[in-house]
Amino acid sequence: MIPRLKSLSIQNFRTIRGSVVIPLDAQVVLVHGTNGMGKTSLMSAIELGLTGSISYLEDQSKYHDFLTHIDTAGGSIQLAVEGMNGRSTGVGRVKFDPGSFDAMPALNAPDATFFSERCYLPQAVLGRLLDIYDQKKTTNSRLTEFVKELLRLDALDALVDGLDHALNVTRIRKLVPVYKQLEEARDLIDKQLERERSSVESARQATTQRITRVNELLAVLVPNAVPVDVGFDLAALRVRVGDRDKDQAELAIVTQQSSEVSSLLSRLEQTSARSPDAEIAALERDAAAIGSRYETWLNGQGAQITQALDALREFHSELSPPDGSSIEDLVQDALSWCIHEDDRCQRLLDQHGTASQQLTSATTTIQRATTRIGEINQALEMGAKDARTLAAALAGIAPHVEQDLCPVCNRDYAEVDGGSLTAHIAATIANLTSEAGRLQALSTERAAESERLAMARRDEATAERLVLQPVALVNLRHRQSAIASIRSRLEPLRSDAAYGQSLFAHLDIARRNLAAARRAQLQSESLLPEINAAVEGATGQPTTNFSGLREALEAAIVALSVRLRTVQAALSSRIAVETELEQYAREAQMLSDRVARTAELETRLATMKGAFSSIGEVREQAKTIATAATQVRSEIVRDVFSGSLNKVWRDLFVRLAPNEQFVPQFRLPNRADGKVEAVLETFHRSGQASGPPGAMLSQGNLNTAALTLFLALNLSVPSQLPWLVLDDPVQSMDDVHIAQFAALLRTFSKRLGKQVVIAVHERALFEYLTLELSPAFAGDSLITVEISRNFAGDAVAQPHFYVFEEDKAVAA
């Protein structure tokens, strides 16, 4: 079944308001409407229902927001298609509003692209079609892509495009990131190898220098030692060097002997040059004299100080017992405590006196306030309790008094002969008011006295806490007096305490010197055997071979110093050799590791260079294949441009514009790289090449050239979709052009079997095309649709159906 457009339903789409249904089930559908009635909207609705987009508006990213008619909330498009043989859903649906767009196109993606490029020519594209195909691009131009599609050059293009990356290393890096990583790895290994070789050379130099240093140390340690060279037996050399524990033990022995000899020399120098007995006797005499003076002090001023401190200890239990080494400080501390304690006692006594006075004053105030409050209470009880109320009552009665008759008892007040009743009531009111004021004053005074009484009682309670009891007061005064007495006794003894402490210090020094002299005497008696043993052990000679003990000890120190330096030098050399050997072992191992690392890097670098060499060979093969494929493709495309495409375009253009002397065509200039670049030009009918169409053709013939180019492209490909949709293609055409165009459309629809949908805006052209495209044989059909608007502004589509009817008159 041949694919066919069946019907189109539009609601509130662009300039079409309301709902219209356009029948499309005919070989030719001719649409007419004046400008602005919605012809272009109808054509765009067909494309939108088939493809889900409007191709010439794709560069405007937000055109979906403006598809809805401005006076409506939303719209829809529904397009029915048949005969797609499973390539279509049969119905294309589009729903849209200013905020959303939902399309379910009737065609799949390849058919939709074919329709937009080969079957549908919008009015907006007609004027710039030549510019679109004349883009100054190479093999990616629209026209070249069309020829590739026409000739099925996909496999050859895929081969050329796929091998194109092999022609340039930069493209290979983009296509295969691993290649770039491999290059970076190669460069990195190259740099690492250079560094490793430098490190190996440095390690060899360091090893050589280390061996030289070892030989120097061996010459010192073992005078007849044979020098070592690279690759010597490290373990055997360590055995030759020997164990340093023996040297360390000997060093410890010599150090100990030196220390003992130095100590004996020091002890010998401390021994006095004079007789030890005479020195001890002198020290004993000095100690006895100082002790006698200290004993005299203890029995005199010292006893007085002790008595005073003992008396003070009764009040100050924390006072330390007397001690000759700190008697002055003890007396000073006792005097300081006496001063502070006397001040404290005096503060308590002063506080007691102040509190006693406050207590007496508070007691007097309490008695007076209590008496006055009692008097006020008696006065308040004697006064009229309701004087103010009674005065108010009398004031209320006064206005009701007539003459001298009492309004309460109805008696005549004149009988009393005390004046008028009104005057008597006024006087009584005045007395009652005065009494009420006096009672108010007494109440205020009683409140004040009550507050004074409460304050006095608080002061009394505070003072009672601070007043001392008689016994405590007596004890405090006795304590203050006793401490003052002790203080007066200690004050004159302060200098005596300093003298006694000085005597005690001198006595202690004398006793210490005497004890040291006695110890020195004992040491000098035991020092000679030790000196003999030490000197003989250090020098191998007895002390009798020397002029004195001091000279013997000094000779022993010199001998031990020489031995100590010898042992230290041997031990230092042995340690240095062992250190150098350990360092040599580490450097030798490092050199071995670096040599192995260098060999590994060289192997890896050689492998990578071999891989790059193989890649280079493959690239050269790819270049050869790509060059051959490009030449073959270029030759095929040139044949198509020069042959079929230009021939069909020329035939169509000459048919519509038979009088035009310049015919447009595509020219394919030769390029050294074999690529194809299509260029638009014109040639004169005499065969002479001319300029581009824009410079040689009139505006009407430019539109004719664009229209015929579109039709030539449609005819040059297999009929994937047998549809031809043209939106007002007649632009600036004269009658001859129109007649030839009508004949061309008749050929497309009736001979080639294409379903043609065309929209025009001129009434005369619409009627002419209706006549020219009317059904000419059985099965042929024509639908004309006139689009207008009613008085409400809604779009109206009026279809008219034409079918073939045999002319019976002619047949007869």
Side-chain angles (χ1 to χ4, degrees):
M1 183 178 292
I2 299 175
R4 195 178 189 88
L5 303 175
K6 297 294 291 183
S7 65
L8 175 65
S9 176
I10 306 174
Q11 181 180 7
N12 299 328
F13 177 66
R14 299 184 68 178
T15 59
I16 298 176
R17 191 178 75 172
S19 297
V20 295
V21 177
I22 311 296
L24 301 176
D25 190 13
Q27 195 66 29
V28 178
V29 179
L30 185 60
V31 181
H32 171 260
T34 58
N35 291 332
M37 289 295 104
K39 300 185 304 299
T40 300
S41 298
L42 187 149
M43 296 298 182
S44 298
I46 294 175
E47 182 183 17
L48 198 59
L50 290 173
T51 66
S53 64
I54 301 176
S55 58
Y56 72 91
L57 295 179
E58 283 299 318
D59 56 344
Q60 302 178 18
S61 58
K62 295 185 178 180
Y63 75 91
H64 291 155
D65 296 338
F66 307 104
L67 298 180
T68 308
H69 192 278
I70 193 170
D71 294 331
T72 59
S76 63
I77 295 172
Q78 181 171 325
L79 177 65
V81 183
E82 70 175 11
M84 294 300 297
N85 298 325
R87 292 153 52 196
S88 169
T89 59
V91 179
R93 294 183 176 86
V94 181
K95 292 184 178 181
F96 47 84
D97 56 51
S100 64
F101 178 81
D102 182 21
M104 296 178 61
L107 300 180
N108 55 30
D111 289 341
T113 302
F114 182 86
F115 175 82
S116 298
E117 294 181 355
R118 304 287 173 259
C119 299
Y120 176 45
L121 180 61
Q123 182 180 358
V125 176
L126 177 62
R128 55 189 182 92
L129 186 62
L130 294 180
D131 296 333
I132 292 175
Y133 283 102
D134 196 25
Q135 293 175 351
K136 297 301 184 288
K137 295 183 180 179
T138 56
T139 55
N140 292 326
S141 66
R142 294 279 294 272
L143 187 63
T144 306
E145 291 177 357
F146 164 75
V147 174
K148 292 178 182 179
E149 178 183 353
L150 176 65
L151 300 179
R152 297 292 189 265
L153 297 178
D154 296 340
L156 195 59
D157 289 340
L159 177 62
V160 173
D161 294 340
L163 296 177
D164 183 64
H165 295 283
L167 305 181
N168 190 291
V169 176
T170 303
R171 297 175 191 155
I172 295 178
R173 292 169 183 164
K174 292 181 180 180
L175 180 65
V176 186
V178 177
Y179 183 83
K180 183 178 181 181
Q181 296 174 4
L182 188 62
E183 287 183 324
E184 294 174 351
R186 179 195 60 188
D187 297 339
L188 180 61
I189 291 175
D190 199 3
K191 294 179 181 178
Q192 289 178 348
L193 183 58
E194 184 178 356
R195 288 196 299 267
E196 287 296 333
R197 287 171 176 169
S198 177
S199 300
V200 168
E201 185 62 28
S202 299
R204 284 175 178 163
Q205 294 177 1
T207 304
T208 303
Q209 294 175 0
R210 191 71 59 191
I211 292 176
T212 303
R213 175 63 177 161
V214 168
N215 287 327
E216 293 175 355
L217 293 174
L218 282 176
V220 175
L221 187 62
V222 184
N224 298 325
V226 179
V228 299
D229 201 352
V230 178
F232 64 89
D233 190 349
L234 185 62
L237 184 59
R238 284 177 175 172
V239 173
R240 288 172 56 190
V241 170
D243 190 3
R244 63 181 178 181
D245 292 340
K246 180 179 178 181
D247 291 341
Q248 290 177 343
E250 185 177 358
L251 178 63
I253 293 172
V254 173
T255 303
Q256 183 178 1
Q257 290 178 348
S258 298
S259 177
E260 291 176 354
V261 171
S262 298
S263 175
L264 289 173
L265 182 60
S266 176
R267 290 163 60 187
L268 181 63
E269 290 176 349
Q270 292 176 1
T271 304
S272 176
R274 59 182 180 176
S275 174
D277 295 335
E279 183 180 2
I280 291 173
L283 291 174
E284 288 178 347
R285 287 193 298 272
D286 292 341
I290 296 173
S292 177
R293 289 197 300 273
Y294 184 69
E295 187 68 25
T296 302
W297 179 85
L298 283 177
N299 295 329
Q301 295 89 346
Q304 296 178 11
I305 293 173
T306 302
Q307 292 174 1
L309 292 177
D310 291 341
L312 182 61
R313 194 171 287 107
E314 180 182 354
F315 303 101
H316 184 24
S317 60
E318 297 180 357
L319 187 64
S320 302
D323 184 11
S325 63
S326 60
I327 190 67
E328 183 181 7
D329 297 335
L330 186 60
V331 170
Q332 186 62 38
D333 293 341
L335 288 173
S336 299
W337 186 85
C338 289
I339 292 172
H340 291 305
E341 186 64 16
D342 183 63
D343 292 342
R344 188 183 71 83
C345 293
Q346 187 60 43
R347 255 191 333 271
L348 292 176
L349 291 174
D350 293 343
Q351 190 176 14
H352 169 75
T354 303
S356 298
Q357 293 177 2
Q358 292 177 352
L359 181 61
T360 303
S361 176
T363 304
T364 303
T365 301
I366 290 171
Q367 292 175 355
R368 290 177 180 174
T370 304
T371 303
R372 181 56 183 162
I373 289 173
E375 292 174 355
I376 293 173
N377 289 336
Q378 291 178 1
L380 290 174
E381 290 176 358
M382 294 173 62
K385 296 181 178 180
D386 297 327
R388 188 177 300 275
T389 305
L390 183 57
L394 291 176
I397 294 173
H400 301 285
V401 175
E402 295 181 0
Q403 296 180 0
D404 288 332
L405 292 177
C406 177
V408 178
C409 62
N410 204 22
R411 290 183 60 187
D412 189 358
Y413 186 72
E415 296 177 357
V416 182
D417 194 14
S420 65
L421 180 57
T422 303
H424 176 67
I425 292 173
T428 302
I429 291 173
N431 290 334
L432 291 173
T433 303
S434 176
E435 181 66 14
R438 187 178 70 81
L439 293 176
Q440 182 66 33
L442 288 174
S443 298
T444 303
E445 184 179 359
R446 182 176 64 178
E449 289 296 334
S450 298
E451 183 177 358
R452 191 178 298 111
L453 177 61
M455 186 179 298
R457 285 176 176 170
R458 286 194 299 271
D459 294 341
E460 181 184 24
T462 303
E464 285 177 350
R465 288 194 300 271
L466 299 177
V467 172
L468 298 174
Q469 298 298 324
V471 176
L473 181 61
V474 171
N475 292 336
L476 183 61
R477 287 175 177 171
H478 174 265
R479 180 183 180 88
Q480 184 183 27
S481 176
I483 290 173
S485 176
I486 295 172
R487 177 184 175 188
S488 64
R489 289 164 59 189
L490 286 175
E491 286 285 352
L493 298 174
R494 184 182 299 177
S495 60
D496 295 331
Y499 176 69
Q501 183 171 335
S502 176
L503 285 176
F504 181 84
H506 285 87
L507 179 60
D508 183 66
I509 293 173
R511 289 174 178 174
R512 290 176 182 273
N513 291 336
L514 178 60
R518 288 173 177 171
R519 287 193 302 272
Q521 183 182 11
L522 294 175
Q523 290 177 357
S524 63
E525 293 175 354
S526 61
L527 191 60
L528 184 57
E530 295 180 8
I531 292 176
N532 289 331
V535 171
E536 188 173 355
T539 62
Q541 301 177 14
T543 55
T544 57
N545 292 347
F546 299 93
S547 60
L549 294 178
R550 180 182 300 276
E551 288 74 11
L553 290 174
E554 290 176 350
I557 289 175
V558 172
L560 290 174
S561 298
V562 173
R563 286 179 58 191
L564 182 62
R565 286 194 296 271
T566 302
V567 173
Q568 286 178 342
L571 182 60
S572 176
S573 298
R574 202 178 305 278
I575 292 174
V577 170
E578 292 179 356
T579 303
E580 292 294 332
L581 290 178
E582 291 176 358
Q583 187 66 26
Y584 172 78
R586 287 194 293 270
E587 291 177 350
Q589 183 62 40
M590 184 181 300
L591 176 60
S592 176
D593 294 342
R594 289 179 176 175
V595 169
R597 176 64 176 166
T598 302
E600 179 186 356
L601 290 175
E602 289 175 348
T603 303
R604 291 177 58 188
L605 184 61
T607 302
M608 296 184 74
K609 287 183 176 179
F612 275 102
S613 176
S614 300
I615 292 173
E617 295 176 359
V618 173
R619 286 185 57 208
E620 290 299 327
Q621 295 175 1
K623 290 180 181 179
T624 303
I625 296 173
T627 302
T630 302
Q631 293 176 354
V632 171
R633 182 184 62 180
S634 300
E635 293 174 359
I636 295 174
V637 173
R638 285 191 181 93
D639 291 341
V640 172
F641 273 113
S642 301
S644 61
L645 184 58
N646 275 338
K647 181 178 183 301
V648 173
W649 188 13
R650 181 175 63 251
D651 292 344
L652 293 177
F653 181 79
V654 171
R655 183 173 180 178
L656 292 185
N659 298 324
E660 177 60 54
Q661 297 298 311
F662 294 94
V663 179
Q665 70 171 3
F666 287 100
R667 178 174 58 86
L668 297 176
N670 294 324
R671 293 183 48 163
D673 56 3
K675 294 183 179 180
V676 177
E677 179 182 0
V679 179
L680 282 177
E681 67 175 4
T682 60
F683 71 95
H684 194 264
R685 296 201 179 196
S686 63
Q688 182 179 357
S690 300
M696 307 305 296
L697 300 179
S698 64
Q699 185 62 42
N701 284 340
L702 276 176
N703 290 335
T704 301
L707 178 60
T708 54
L709 173 60
F710 176 79
L711 296 176
L713 295 176
N714 183 275
L715 291 174
S716 299
V717 296
S719 183
Q720 185 174 341
L721 293 174
W723 301 330
L724 188 63
V725 181
L726 305 175
D727 182 12
D728 208 357
V730 178
Q731 303 288 333
S732 303
M733 290 186 181
D734 55 18
D735 294 341
V736 176
H737 285 73
I738 293 174
Q740 294 295 333
F741 177 64
L744 187 61
L745 291 179
R746 190 164 57 249
T747 301
F748 269 85
S749 64
K750 303 186 185 307
R751 290 184 57 188
L752 301 179
K754 294 184 179 292
Q755 183 179 9
V756 179
V757 180
I758 183 171
V760 297
H761 71 279
E762 294 183 2
R763 184 70 186 183
L765 177 61
F766 171 72
E767 293 177 352
Y768 175 73
L769 292 178
T770 301
L771 179 62
E772 289 292 328
L773 300 177
S774 61
F777 51 84
D780 192 11
S781 59
L782 169 67
I783 297 177
T784 60
V785 180
E786 296 191 47
I787 300 177
S788 60
R789 290 194 181 97
N790 58 21
F791 292 103
D794 294 337
V796 177
Q798 297 179 348
H800 187 75
F801 299 85
Y802 296 88
V803 296
F804 174 72
E805 295 181 1
E806 185 177 356
D807 191 349
K808 298 179 181 180
V810 176

